[in-house]
């Protein structure tokens, strides 16, 4: 991710890198998911999950979001009992 490439979905990642921060990219992604016509329960769950990630990562430049950094956040969420 740090180099702007993910083996799967690399084109999508490069599209989001222009968003600037993780928070802006996450908001754009959520808007796309809402337009996709997901079930309301699925949409609520996605929003909840993204909000949990946004707390520590919102202002992080997207190119600085690494798998290691994201895993630290996810493990913290799990420790809170939200696995």
């Amino acid at each position: 991710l740090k180099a702007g490439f993910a083996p799967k979905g690399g084109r999508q990642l490069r599209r989001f890198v222009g968003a600037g921060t993780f928070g802006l990219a996450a908001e754009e992604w959520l808007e796309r998911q809402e337009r996709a016509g997901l079930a309301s329960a699925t949409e609520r769950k996605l929003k909840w999950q993204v909000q949990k990630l946004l707390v520590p990562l919102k202002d992080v430049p997207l190119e600085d979001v690494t798998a290691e950094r994201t895993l630290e956040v996810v493990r913290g969420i799990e420790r809170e009992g939200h696995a």
Side-chain angles (χ1 to χ4, degrees), residues 5 12-13 24 33 39-42 48 58-59 61 64 69 74 76 79:
F5 177 76
Q12 289 178 336
L13 178 61
L24 292 172
Q33 300 311 304
S40 60
T42 302
W48 178 83
K58 181 179 180 184
D59 297 323
D64 293 341
R69 190 171 196 172
V74 170
R79 281 191 296 276

Side-chain angles (χ1 to χ4, degrees), residues 8-9 11-38 41-54 62:
K8 294 184 180 180
R11 284 179 284 172
Q12 289 178 336
L13 178 61
R14 283 191 290 277
R15 191 177 324 142
F16 285 119
V17 169
T21 64
F22 181 85
L24 292 172
E27 289 175 22
E28 181 182 332
W29 183 80
L30 277 174
E31 288 172 9
R32 288 180 184 184
Q33 300 311 304
E34 290 172 4
R35 289 192 305 265
L38 301 172
T42 302
E43 191 175 314
R44 281 193 308 274
K45 183 69 172 183
L46 285 175
K47 285 181 181 180
W48 178 83
Q49 291 169 333
V50 169
Q51 290 302 319
K52 287 299 223 175
L53 289 171
L54 279 178
L62 196 55

Side-chain angles (χ1 to χ4, degrees), residues 52-83:
K52 287 299 223 175
L53 289 171
L54 279 178
V55 172
L57 296 174
K58 181 179 180 184
D59 297 323
V60 177
L62 196 55
E63 60 269 8
D64 293 341
V65 177
T66 62
E68 182 179 346
R69 190 171 196 172
T70 305
L71 184 58
E72 288 175 22
V73 173
V74 170
R75 286 187 176 154
I77 294 168
E78 288 175 340
R79 281 191 296 276
E80 293 174 3
H82 301 290

